[in-house]
Amino acid sequence: MHRPFVATLLIFFLSACATQEVATRAAAEAAAAQPAQQPAKPAAAHWLSDVEAITNAGDNAARRGAIAARLDTLGLAWRKAPFEANGKTGENLIAQVGGPADAPLLLIGAHSDRVAVGHGATDNASGSASVLALAERFQRKPLRNHRVAIAFWDLEEEGLLGSKAFVADGTTKPALYVNFDVFGWGDTLWMMAPAQGQQALVDSSRAATQTLQLGFSPGEKYPPTDHLPFLRAGWPAVSYSLVGSEEITQVLDAYAGKKSHTPAKVMRVIHTDQDVLGQVDAEAASRGVDAVEQALRLWDAQGVTAAPAATSENGG
């Protein structure tokens, strides 16, 4: 997730009582010390393998290298998209997945970069692995009414620079962009959905989560991440996270400036030295990917080509 938002929220958490802080730190350290539990289901095991490869790769260039190697394994054609912004250089990765060549484009993406602290397992190897999982599924069984491409954005943590560069280039405008950021555990699919333009996908997401007995929380209030440059350009976009149901209110309260003695787990993990592989829950994440796949297939079956989304400055 975007660094300035996280830094702002952390200020509010400094007021938590010392006893709670010590207990929270001890619990987080214990979780971080544990390796990720090996899942029984193949889909979950594949997701965890991708998270592990990205997490253990090293710096941001090495993380992109791990993703590129996985794309090669899948046999997907991909390209580098270098950019310069705010005096920084970055490199997005774009891959074509499949579907009818003349159909509207469904673009699915996540940021691949991480901050210097921690290993970036939750933020955002988890999101990148979820995009890879969907790419494999839509390659194996393409959508009927949309062609699919995937993107891995660089320098999200520096101000959404990779996704901003893609939108500013303007070469390819998708019918819909679907973003993943922080998709590592929990019982609830959290969906950033604009008030206008994406009701069909909200409805299909609700149907999918009900089928899989997963919680669902759609709405405009959501932390800033790579969906924002699309929305600000008037391009249709949504974003998904997978978290515990109680975390959503905690994050939004903090975003609204309310003090909390119980910070959300996600805020205790991301951008800290606790963001390690041991925090993720592959079985939960795989179930979340199942829900999004079902939602997108239901959405696609309706032949939906999304109307322009309403501009949102806060995205959350």
Side-chain angles (χ1 to χ4, degrees):
M1 286 189 174
H2 184 25
R3 187 201 305 265
F5 169 73
V6 175
T8 300
L9 290 186
L10 289 176
I11 294 173
F12 297 109
F13 298 149
L14 293 177
S15 62
C17 68
T19 301
Q20 176 65 35
E21 183 178 353
V22 170
T24 296
R25 184 181 297 115
E29 290 174 353
Q34 297 297 319
Q37 184 175 1
Q38 291 300 314
K41 297 180 180 178
H46 292 160
W47 180 89
L48 181 60
S49 177
D50 287 338
V51 172
E52 184 172 13
I54 298 167
T55 299
N56 293 341
D59 64 12
N60 289 334
R63 287 164 75 92
R64 294 194 300 275
I67 291 169
R70 179 68 171 128
L71 295 173
D72 287 340
T73 299
L74 293 173
L76 296 177
W78 60 274
R79 64 180 176 86
K80 298 177 181 179
F83 63 89
E84 295 185 9
N86 295 358
K88 302 178 184 295
T89 59
E91 185 179 81
N92 297 327
L93 299 182
I94 312 292
Q96 301 300 318
V97 175
D102 58 348
L105 174 64
L106 171 63
L107 180 64
I108 305 172
H111 76 87
S112 62
D113 64 311
R114 66 173 179 87
V115 298
V117 180
H119 294 170
T122 301
D123 187 16
N124 187 35
S126 67
S128 296
S130 299
V131 172
L132 288 168
L134 287 172
E136 184 173 14
R137 297 176 190 204
F138 290 140
Q139 178 193 39
R140 184 170 58 246
K141 183 181 178 182
L143 298 178
R144 291 185 297 174
N145 298 304
H146 292 83
R147 59 189 173 94
V148 175
I150 57 175
F152 300 91
W153 312 119
D154 197 9
L155 301 186
E156 186 268 359
E157 301 290 2
E158 300 296 331
L160 317 180
L161 299 185
S163 53
K164 284 180 178 178
F166 178 88
V167 172
D169 177 75
T171 302
T172 305
K173 180 179 179 180
L176 178 65
Y177 171 61
V178 176
N179 187 65
F180 284 79
D181 199 352
V182 180
F183 209 86
W185 64 73
D187 58 2
T188 299
L189 188 67
W190 188 8
M191 180 184 186
M192 188 281 152
Q196 301 174 4
Q198 302 306 327
Q199 190 58 47
L201 185 54
V202 172
D203 291 343
S204 65
S205 297
R206 180 174 289 107
T209 52
Q210 287 176 348
T211 298
L212 293 169
Q213 298 183 322
L214 192 66
F216 181 52
S217 180
E220 290 188 287
K221 300 299 183 182
Y222 188 86
T225 181
D226 287 306
H227 65 286
L228 271 180
F230 291 82
L231 292 184
R232 288 171 175 165
W235 295 12
V238 300
S239 188
Y240 290 104
S241 295
L242 187 73
V243 293
S245 58
E246 73 287 351
E247 295 184 73
I248 297 172
T249 299
Q250 293 168 343
V251 170
L252 294 180
D253 282 351
Y255 184 62
K258 299 178 182 178
K259 295 181 180 180
S260 171
H261 291 286
T262 310
K265 176 184 176 180
V266 64
M267 301 311 304
R268 302 195 308 266
V269 171
I270 66 172
H271 294 206
T272 76
D273 57 7
Q274 305 308 312
D275 193 356
V276 296
L277 193 64
Q279 296 286 0
V280 302
D281 181 342
E283 297 284 4
S286 181
R287 190 159 62 119
V289 172
D290 289 346
V292 177
E293 179 193 6
Q294 287 188 25
L296 289 173
R297 291 195 185 280
L298 288 169
W299 171 84
D300 173 74
Q302 300 173 44
V304 175
T305 52
T311 300
S312 173
E313 286 301 318
N314 60 20

